Amino acid sequence: MNFHIVTLPGDGIGPDVTNEAVRVLKNIAEKFGHQFSFEQQLIGGIAIDETGSALPDETLRACLNADAVLLGAVGGPKWDDPRAKTRPEDGLLAIRKGLGLFANLRPVKPHPALAFASPLREEKIRGVDFVVVRELTGGLYFGKPKERRQENGHLSAVDTMEYHDYEIRRIVDLGFKLAQARKKKLASVDKANVLASSRLWREIATEMHADYPDVKLDHVLVDTAAMRLVTAPASFDVIVTENTFGDILTDEAAVLVGSMGLLPSASLGEGTRGLYEPIHGSAPDIAGKGIANPLGSILSAAMLLRHSLKLEDEANAIERAVDELLSEGCRSADIAREGERVLGTSEMTEQVVKRVISNQ
Ligand code: NAD
């Protein structure tokens, strides 16, 4: 099959890890008999330097014409001036909006061989395998009014948490569908005891449950969810939640795994086109040193194969290879223990490629 993939390496270690994920995808194409064409475009700080915009029109156009987009990371000290008109992160918000992406998926499945790297005790980490589905377009980050006010000699500031029924419906629907294909448990996270938007969310989730009778639906208050993520993370299967709660809970969940370098993510919209990126940032402290862990980006490529290209066997081939290499003790610097042999970015990829090629 033929597919066109746009890559947006971005800044810092973005290019280091994206190149490795592309290398794995090229090997997948060869092994499974597909044609993947790749087109590289600018985003983030490097795009600001070269065009003045964090998301040049040409980049968005190319992404809109692609089957899928693979992003590295954006940002770094060079573009941190708070007075700057444009910031690298503007590119991220603009591309999500431009591609109509409303759902961010973050799977969290700590590898047993890396349990030592988790801040939780090994017995708490055992069996943890869940995915957080975060709403991306609504809530506090976008609701209006969003402003500062001067009243009676005092300053105040207001943000608005607004959700429309259709925004809730489409994300909760995705949560139910994902749960159906997994362990059939959906935790809908809200703050319905206090917030009107959460009460609407809960009402709609309850109503939609009728279409998914095989899925067990739990309504969980966000504060309880935050506690359960550290006291009983293995009790979750799929978590679906609004934008701000999702932003916070996904980072809490990420810490369970032990290294930022391991985790992939997908941002999806109505069609099959999606944006895939490791959850880590541009890590300026290790950029260009050849030591970044490429697995978050490589696992993002696996999600790209699964969700946008519908190539499940190919996605599984990558995930199995990563699983095996970790079981067999391959370690990049971020996940190595004292005295263990450390592999560089390219050597880690080599281990993935070797297994992708030789596994049946
Ligand atoms: P970061 O994720 O870049 O780095 C945090 C720590 O984790 C650093 O010590 C880094 O070396 C390490 N790390 C991250 N990825 C790694 C990998 N693949 N392998 C090994 N170690 C890895 O977060 P930060 O330092 O807070 O942010 C740096 C820059 O990245 C900032 O400009 C920030 O705004 C930006 N950022 C971008 C994104 C994105 O592009 N989606 C996300 C978060 C932060």
Side-chain angles (χ1 to χ4, degrees):
M1 294 180 65
N2 291 349
F3 293 104
H4 185 57
I5 299 167
V6 166
T7 62
L8 308 175
D11 309 314
I13 61 167
D16 306 9
V17 298
T18 307
N19 289 341
E20 304 301 319
V22 167
R23 195 168 134 205
V24 172
L25 285 172
K26 285 182 174 163
N27 278 279
I28 284 282
E30 197 175 319
K31 165 145 180 163
F32 288 85
H34 304 301
Q35 298 284 336
F36 294 165
S37 53
F38 295 93
E39 174 184 355
Q40 188 171 311
Q41 291 287 349
L42 297 170
I43 195 167
I46 188 172
I48 295 175
D49 288 352
E50 294 194 16
T51 71
S53 161
L55 181 71
D57 292 345
E58 194 187 330
T59 298
L60 181 58
R61 236 187 340 264
C63 294
L64 286 166
N65 286 323
D67 293 300
V69 181
L70 184 66
L71 187 135
V74 302
K78 186 176 173 195
W79 305 279
D80 267 352
D81 182 351
R83 291 159 306 175
K85 273 202 319 282
T86 324
R87 297 175 58 85
E89 291 77 8
D90 297 339
L92 290 181
L93 292 181
I95 194 158
R96 285 179 190 155
K97 189 159 193 274
L99 296 179
L101 307 173
F102 61 81
N104 182 247
L105 270 59
R106 280 201 196 178
V108 175
K109 189 178 176 184
H111 192 282
L114 299 180
F116 70 88
S118 173
L120 296 193
R121 287 197 305 274
E122 285 199 35
E123 66 267 26
K124 287 251 185 275
I125 283 299
R126 210 169 296 131
V128 170
D129 178 4
F130 62 83
V131 50
V132 185
V133 184
R134 166 189 168 194
E135 205 287 328
L136 282 180
T137 62
L140 278 178
Y141 297 176
F142 299 99
K144 298 275 168 50
K146 182 186 220 25
E147 61 196 21
R148 277 189 178 212
R149 294 170 182 167
Q150 177 93 46
E151 279 165 338
N152 308 325
H154 291 287
L155 256 186
S156 67
V158 57
D159 294 290
T160 303
M161 190 184 254
E162 183 180 30
Y163 267 101
H164 295 96
D165 52 1
Y166 61 87
E167 290 173 309
I168 301 172
R169 230 175 271 285
R170 65 189 182 183
I171 190 95
V172 173
D173 192 61
L174 181 62
F176 272 118
K177 289 201 164 77
L178 284 170
Q180 245 177 352
R182 295 173 47 101
K183 289 174 277 176
K184 299 189 170 32
K185 289 197 292 182
L186 179 65
S188 173
V189 172
D190 62 36
K191 188 73 182 166
N193 51 347
V194 183
L195 300 175
S197 56
S198 279
R199 284 194 281 276
L200 180 63
W201 182 287
R202 191 175 279 216
E203 206 177 292
I204 290 174
T206 305
E207 182 192 303
M208 292 176 70
H209 191 199
D211 296 332
Y212 299 94
D214 52 333
V215 175
K216 183 174 178 304
L217 171 69
D218 271 331
H219 299 286
V220 186
L221 291 174
V222 64
D223 32 359
T224 308
M227 287 192 287
R228 248 175 75 187
L229 275 175
V230 286
T231 54
S235 66
F236 287 114
D237 177 20
V238 178
I239 297 173
V240 65
T241 191
E242 67 86 42
N243 204 346
T244 309
F245 299 160
D247 191 3
I248 299 165
L249 292 181
T250 47
D251 274 8
E252 184 189 355
V255 170
L256 304 181
V257 173
S259 169
M260 303 275 281
L262 289 167
L263 286 167
S265 79
S267 297
L268 307 175
E270 291 292 356
T272 55
R273 191 194 315 107
L275 173 77
Y276 301 85
E277 57 180 314
I279 70 149
H280 59 73
S282 60
D285 51 333
I286 57 168
K289 294 187 179 163
I291 58 171
N293 185 344
L295 296 182
S297 185
I298 290 170
L299 291 169
S300 301
M303 292 187 84
L304 178 156
L305 293 169
R306 172 173 297 118
H307 294 286
S308 284
L309 312 190
K310 306 294 171 197
L311 299 176
E312 184 69 26
D313 289 347
E314 290 79 345
N316 288 337
I318 295 180
E319 287 166 355
R320 206 174 121 204
V322 169
D323 206 59
E324 283 176 13
L325 72 87
L326 291 174
S327 298
E328 288 161 27
C330 300
R331 300 286 182 265
S332 47
D334 55 317
I335 50 173
R337 277 196 276 200
E338 190 110 359
E340 278 181 326
R341 188 168 109 76
V342 170
L343 303 184
T345 310
S346 169
E347 290 168 304
M348 282 296 272
T349 310
E350 198 53 53
Q351 294 294 330
V352 179
V353 168
K354 200 170 86 181
R355 288 170 176 81
V356 160
I357 293 172
S358 62
N359 280 346
Q360 290 307 309

